[in-house]
Amino acid sequence: MDEMQKNLTDLAEGTFRSLNGAADENIFIGKASKAGFYTFFKVWRDMPYDAVLDYDGILYRIEIKGSGTGKFNVTHGGRSGGQIDRNAEDRTHLLSRNDGDFVVGVDTDNGDCYIIPMDVVVLCNRQNMSIQLVNDFKEKWQLFLHGEGRLNGHETRDGLMQLELPELISIAERLGIKSEECTQPLHMDGPRSRMDFDDPKKATILRIWLKLADIS
C-alpha cells in the first residue's frame, strides 16, 4: 500500500500527534468493520483499553498501537504531556492479560494492521515488537474467529497461557500440528536478533497462534 499523506494542513506537532493516534484507531475500526466484525469504540481517552470487538457473542478487549518507526511499543501506563511531573514514578509496564486480549499494531505510514494475540506479546516479552517479528500476523483478521477447526471462543479470548502442556498438545494436534513438533524449539526472527523459545509450552502456544494465522 502506498504511504498515506500526513499533516498537509501543518497542524502543531502535539495536535497532529493526537489526531494521528485517533486516525490509527479509526483505521482499526474501519478495517474490522469491513472484515464483518461489530466494534465498540472508547468514549473517553483514558479508558483501560481502546476498543471492543464482538464476534458471535465473545467480546475481545483491543489495545491499538500505531507506529511509523517499524516497531510497535506494547507497553501501558507511560508518562506523556508537558504537564506530567518528570520526577514521578514511571508506571510503564509491558501489556498483559490484564490490559486486553489482542494488540492491533497499525502501521501509521500505510494503514497495515497486525493482529497480535496477547499471548504472543507476553511470551516475546519485549517492550518494542518489530514489524518483522510480527509479520505473520499482518492483516490476520481471522484470528478473531472461533469455532470448528479453530480455538473455541473462550480459548481465543482468554489465551492459552493457563493451560498445561498436554492440553496444548491436544489443541495443536486438533489444528494439524504434529505432537513431535511441540517438543522442538521455535524461533522467531527480528530485524537484528532471533528469539529462541526452547520451553515446550511456550513454543507450543506460539505454534498454535501461528497456525491459526495461516488458516483462512
Side-chain angles (χ1 to χ4, degrees):
M1 184 183 294
D2 293 337
E3 285 198 5
M4 297 181 175
Q5 293 183 319
K6 293 184 179 180
N7 200 14
L8 299 181
T9 58
D10 199 27
L11 293 173
E13 181 180 353
T15 300
F16 177 71
R17 185 168 57 247
S18 297
L19 186 61
N20 191 51
D24 291 335
E25 294 175 351
N26 282 308
I27 287 171
F28 160 74
I29 293 292
K31 284 196 167 185
S33 299
K34 282 183 176 293
F37 296 106
Y38 298 120
T39 53
F40 306 89
F41 203 52
K42 64 184 182 184
V43 296
W44 177 45
R45 183 189 64 183
D46 294 327
M47 291 181 72
Y49 33 87
D50 295 315
V52 171
L53 182 145
D54 175 14
Y55 173 65
D56 197 26
I58 296 292
L59 301 179
Y60 303 109
R61 299 167 300 160
I62 308 296
E63 280 280 347
I64 301 168
K65 297 294 184 178
S67 176
T69 66
K71 58 187 178 182
F72 301 112
N73 182 282
V74 289
T75 63
H76 187 72
R79 299 187 298 255
S80 63
Q83 77 281 8
I84 301 299
D85 181 0
R86 298 301 174 181
N87 295 317
E89 179 185 359
D90 186 357
R91 298 183 180 180
T92 301
H93 65 269
L94 185 70
L95 290 173
S96 71
R97 278 281 159 197
N98 292 329
D99 301 299
D101 305 312
F102 283 83
V103 175
V104 175
V106 179
D107 188 329
T108 194
D109 289 332
N110 57 28
D112 289 340
C113 290
Y114 297 77
I115 316 303
I116 312 168
M118 192 62 77
D119 282 352
V120 176
V121 174
V122 172
L123 289 174
C124 287
N125 194 33
R126 289 186 172 183
Q127 291 192 356
N128 293 289
M129 302 184 75
S130 69
I131 284 178
Q132 182 177 334
L133 184 66
V134 298
N135 193 57
D136 288 315
F137 301 104
K138 180 180 176 180
E139 300 293 349
K140 299 297 184 177
W141 298 92
Q142 64 266 31
L143 284 169
F144 294 120
L145 301 178
H146 52 80
E148 186 176 355
R150 303 179 184 273
L151 302 180
N152 66 39
H154 295 290
E155 291 166 343
T156 306
R157 181 192 63 198
D158 301 333
L160 305 172
M161 300 285 290
Q162 75 278 9
L163 302 181
E164 299 298 329
L165 184 58
E167 298 174 276
L168 293 168
I169 292 176
S170 178
I171 292 172
E173 291 178 324
R174 194 175 80 213
L175 296 173
I177 303 171
K178 295 180 180 180
S179 58
E180 53 266 31
E181 290 183 62
C182 297
T183 61
Q184 298 174 0
L186 181 140
H187 312 289
M188 294 179 68
D189 292 321
R192 297 185 181 87
S193 63
R194 186 176 77 169
M195 298 194 68
D196 298 315
F197 297 90
D198 298 320
D199 179 79
K201 177 175 177 177
K202 294 179 180 179
T204 301
I205 291 172
L206 289 170
R207 280 194 171 91
I208 288 171
W209 284 115
L210 289 167
K211 178 70 174 182
L212 290 166
D214 276 342
I215 299 174
S216 58

